[in-house]
Each structure stands twice: as structure tokens, then as C-alpha cells.
Amino acid sequence: MSEENKHRATAAAILPLVGGAGNVTSVAHCMTRLRLGLRDRSLVQDEALKALPPVMGVVEDDTYQIVLGPGTVARVTPEFEALVEEGRADAPGEPVAPAAPAGGSDPVTAEELAAQGAALRAERKAKNATPFKLFLRRIANIFVPLIPALIGCGIIAGLNGLLVNLGWLPGVTPALAAIASGFMALIAVFVGYNTAKEFGGTPILGGAVASIVVYAKVADVEAFGQHLSPGQGGVLGALAAACLGVYVEKRCRRWVPESVDVLVTPTVTVLVSGLATLFGLMFLAGEVSAWIGDAADWLLAHGGAGAGFLLGGLFLPLVMLGLHQALIPIHTTLIEGSGFTVLLPILAMAGAGQVGAALAIYLRLPRNTSVRTTIKSALWPGFLGVGEPLIYGVSLPLGRPFVTACAGGAFGGAFVGLFNQLGTDVGSTAIGPSGWALFPLLDGNHGLARTIAVYAAGLLVGYIAGFVATYWFGFTKTMLAELNAAPDEQAPASPAPVAAEERVAEKV
């Protein structure tokens, strides 16, 4: 089967399991997930979806998210969109409910753990629907579409740096430098465009206002007693400028007569927002950007292992709370200022802890073939930084192994943080990838070889610490007895339903 037919077959297999074309209201994707807006969540067959070979897991948030992995999702999404459009054209109307999935599942199988994971996701979704967290989600929506370009340019920058250090292809390296740097030079424009789009303004006006930040002639403008610099304020200045532009535009739409709206509204929006950007926002955002860079340097220079321990150990709980999205503009600001973010390699250790924990669970449950099968299918994506299948399908529903996995991430983060404190910066030139997938994006202040060695050693520490902590402290005797029962020892009747959070509480 050709690649194109394979991805279309995957899309065709997914569509009926989410209720058909009539049940799909929106289609989008990020680095690893197909994100669907659905009319009726009850029409989705979760277990049948998870059983599809290309599907690594599902996550329910503000959208229904199917984890397909990097690369695959970008190819499946357009095929899925085409099938949805075809389905709507051929059979408009209400979606037809799919056949109900099979009955009760065994309480100690992967299916039961997946059900508990779904319940925990639903609870987390309800708790995360606060105004502050919804605002953070909108901020994340501005930066997530930029990740593919950050990755591509970051890898080219790393390749160019390697060629320059080796003295190879001197006629090509200037061209590679231009290719790698072009996007970062204009990233403020893309941030402004996405900001206006996300907050309900005209995207091109957001881009126009944000472009002021990177215009070379701003050096002729004086604000707060000093001349501005092109790019001063960076993505934060562009974000603030575009937000102001949306506000001004909406006010204009309310009061300007329709007959002159096309002339007055764009002019007033760009003029008012532009002046505010030049004589206020660029300077203030520049100060905030400089403070973020200084704070990150100070944290790792003085906190070192302790800071890395906290960052690596608390990252997954931050994800559960929806607060990790606040880190995206911080990463982007660090990359824009110094060429790489020193925080991402430390946070990536959280995934290493999950992998180590999964290996320990696999060995501690030799008779639970269902859970072991789930781990075998989710382990390789976990090594590549796609952790959702392990988190939601194994460690989080079990409770204690999730905590011990976080401990593994903490020790891995402490290791990388210690080297930062000793003067070896380990950074990433882009955001998005994690695990082994982060190797092509690594950069630092002491050469690529040392940077790669420290990051690889940090992953190894995370694997080992997550494994040891889970193997020895991840299970109570009761949990092992329940989860390790052979199939013929399990009761034939399904037990009375127990709330997922109660079961996790018992196991913790």
C-alpha cells in the first residue's frame, strides 16, 4: 500500500469511530494529535479507536484528540478533512450512532486502566475550564502553529553550526544561515497574525502592527530616553501589540459607520496600536524579555540541580493542571534571545521518568498480559517523546506509578540542571519534540558533542530513577495482588463500578 493510501485508510478507519462526518464540527492538528470538535461525544467509540494500530492513544480536552505521532498526523489530517467533506456532501443530516462497544471489561486489564484514565481526563478538563487556564490555552494556540517552522529552522541551524565548526562547505553555510534565521527574524509578524486570529480580530492587521517590532527603521525612534532597537520586545511585544490592535479594531467596528469602515477601521487600528507599540510596548516588552532571560540564567546558575529537580518532577503535574501552556511564550522568548531554551531539555526528563516507570510496571506485572501489551505498544513512542499513551493508559490510572515516574523525571532534571550550574548549558533551538526526537535540536555553549552527552546521560538517569522508584515504591501488596492475577483467577462477573478517582486514591 502506498503512503498516501495508508494515510487515507487510517483516516477512513477513524471517521466512523468518532460518529461519522456529521458528528465532526472542526478538524485541526498539532505536532502529534488530530484534534476534533464533536457534536455528540457519546457517539465516539474510544476502545475501538485505541485498538487501531496507528492510534497511540486519545486525550479529551477542549477538543477530542487522537494521538497519531509526529509526521503521521500531518499526513492523516488532510485525508480526514477530505473524507469529512465527502461524507457531508453525500449524506447531510444528523450523525448515526455507532454500535455500542462490547460490555464490561476486567477491572485489572488495560481497558480498565484506560477507562480510569478517561475519567481522570474528564475531571481534569472540568477543573481546567477556569478563565485563567482558558486564557493560557489561547496563548498556546498562538504559538503552537509556529512549532513546525521552529523545528525545521532549528535543525538547519544545528546542521549549519556543525558545518562551520568542521570548516566544510564554506560556500553553502551562509545560505544555510539565512534559511535558518529568516523565520526567527520575522517571527514577531507571525505571532501578531495568530494573536489577532485567536482573539477575534483581522489577522493581517495583527501582523501589520507586529511587523513594526522588527522594522529596521525603528532605530530612529526614541522612547524613554533611548533609541529603540529592531526586534526589541520580540514575541512578547508582538503579542501585546496585536492584542491592543484587536481591542482598537473591535471598538472601531462598534462606532465607525459601515460606509467608511473599510477606510477608517484599518487606519485607526494600525495608527493607534503602532504608536502605542513604538512609544511604550516595545520598551516594556523588551524589559520583560530581558528579565525572563536573566531569570532563567540565574535560576540554573544558582539553583542548578535543585531547580532541575523541581522542574523535571513537576512538569507533568503542570500539564495535568493546564499550566504548562504558560511556558510556551517563555521558551520562544529564550530562543529568540539566546538561540536556544535551557528549560526544555530539563522538562523533557519528565518523559524519561515515564519510560522508566513503564519498564518497571512491565516487569512487576508478569501475569497481566493486557497491561503489558499496552506498554509494549506505547513504549517506543515514549522513547521518542510522545508520552500520552503511557501517561493516560498506564501510569496515571494506577496512581502511585505516576508519582514515582515524576520522581524519575525529577532526578533526570536535577542531573541536567547540575551541569547548567557547572557552566555547561544544554538547550534546544525549538520547542515541541522531546525524548530522543530532541537530539537534532540540541545546542549549548560548549560544543554539540558535550551538549548531546549531557542530555543523553540525563535521559539515562531519568530512565533508571523512574524504573527504580516504580519497581520498589510504585505498588502496594494489594495492588500487586489485584493487578497480577492470572486470567483464570479473576472473577467472571464484572464488579460494581467504582469511580476512577476513588480507585487511584486507594492505590496511592
Side-chain angles (χ1 to χ4, degrees), residues 7 15 21 45 76 87 105 112 117 148 150 164 223 261 270 324 339 361 373 437:
H7 298 311
L15 184 56
Q45 299 182 56
V76 171
S105 58
E112 172 67 11
L150 285 169
V164 169
D261 178 74
V270 174
H324 66 295
I361 295 169
T373 299

Side-chain angles (χ1 to χ4, degrees), residues 47 50 105-106 108-116 370 374:
E47 297 308 317
K50 295 173 188 174
S105 58
D106 193 281
V108 293
T109 63
E111 289 76 14
E112 172 67 11
L113 294 181
Q116 294 182 30
S370 182
T374 298

Side-chain angles (χ1 to χ4, degrees), residues 405-441:
C406 290
F411 280 100
F415 181 88
V416 178
L418 175 62
F419 273 85
N420 275 275
Q421 186 175 10
L422 295 175
T424 300
D425 291 344
V426 178
S428 170
T429 58
I431 57 177
S434 183
W436 294 356
L438 196 61
F439 278 111
L441 297 169

Side-chain angles (χ1 to χ4, degrees), residues 108-418:
V108 293
T109 63
E111 289 76 14
E112 172 67 11
L113 294 181
Q116 294 182 30
L120 291 169
R121 285 196 299 271
E123 179 185 7
R124 179 174 61 87
K125 178 182 176 183
K127 290 181 178 179
N128 286 349
T130 63
F132 176 66
K133 292 174 183 177
L134 291 175
F135 172 75
L136 290 181
R137 187 174 299 158
R138 300 189 78 173
I139 296 298
N141 290 341
I142 294 168
F143 290 91
V144 166
L146 307 179
I147 291 177
L150 285 169
I151 292 173
C153 294
I155 291 176
I156 294 171
L159 174 63
N160 185 64
L162 180 63
L163 292 175
V164 169
N165 291 335
L166 295 174
W168 294 355
L169 301 177
V172 176
T173 51
L176 292 179
I179 294 170
S181 304
F183 173 74
M184 288 305 301
L186 297 175
I187 190 174
V189 179
F190 296 99
V191 169
Y193 183 96
N194 288 347
T195 300
K197 182 179 179 181
E198 180 66 26
F199 287 98
T202 302
I204 197 64
L205 291 180
V209 173
S211 67
I212 298 169
V213 174
V214 295
Y215 179 55
K217 290 294 185 177
V218 297
D220 297 333
V221 179
E222 185 175 330
F224 297 94
Q226 58 182 274
H227 285 278
L228 298 176
S229 301
Q232 185 173 342
V235 294
L236 297 183
L239 178 66
C243 284
L244 177 60
V246 171
Y247 174 79
V248 173
E249 180 186 357
K250 288 182 176 180
R251 298 288 291 185
C252 288
R253 301 285 185 203
R254 185 181 303 175
W255 299 109
V256 173
E258 291 184 6
S259 58
V260 294
D261 178 74
V262 70
L263 299 175
V264 174
T265 298
T267 304
V268 173
T269 298
V270 174
L271 178 62
V272 173
S273 304
L275 289 173
T277 299
L278 289 169
F279 294 105
L281 294 179
M282 282 185 66
F283 176 83
L284 294 176
E287 294 299 304
V288 173
S289 298
W291 180 86
I292 289 174
D294 293 342
D297 291 339
W298 183 91
L299 179 66
L300 294 178
H302 295 80
F309 188 90
L310 291 176
L311 290 171
L314 295 179
F315 181 63
L316 287 181
L318 287 178
V319 173
M320 299 299 106
L321 296 172
L323 297 176
H324 66 295
Q325 297 169 32
L327 295 171
I328 296 178
I330 295 176
H331 286 312
T332 309
T333 300
L334 292 174
I335 293 171
E336 191 178 35
S338 60
F340 53 82
T341 168
V342 292
L343 299 180
L344 185 59
I346 292 176
L347 300 176
M349 296 300 117
Q354 289 291 325
V355 170
L359 292 171
I361 295 169
Y362 187 87
L363 293 181
R364 291 289 268 168
L365 304 180
R367 305 174 74 180
N368 195 318
T369 56
S370 182
V371 172
R372 285 164 66 92
T373 299
T374 298
I375 292 174
K376 283 193 291 186
S377 65
L379 195 58
W380 286 112
F383 278 116
L384 293 174
V386 181
E388 291 92 339
L390 287 177
I391 296 170
Y392 292 114
V394 182
S395 66
L396 183 60
L398 287 173
R400 289 173 69 107
F402 178 76
V403 176
T404 54
C406 290
F411 280 100
F415 181 88
V416 178
L418 175 62

Side-chain angles (χ1 to χ4, degrees), residues 8 27 29 73-83:
R8 188 171 182 84
V27 181
H29 74 88
V73 69
R75 293 166 173 80
V76 171
T77 299
E79 300 291 347
F80 187 86
E81 290 176 322
L83 290 175

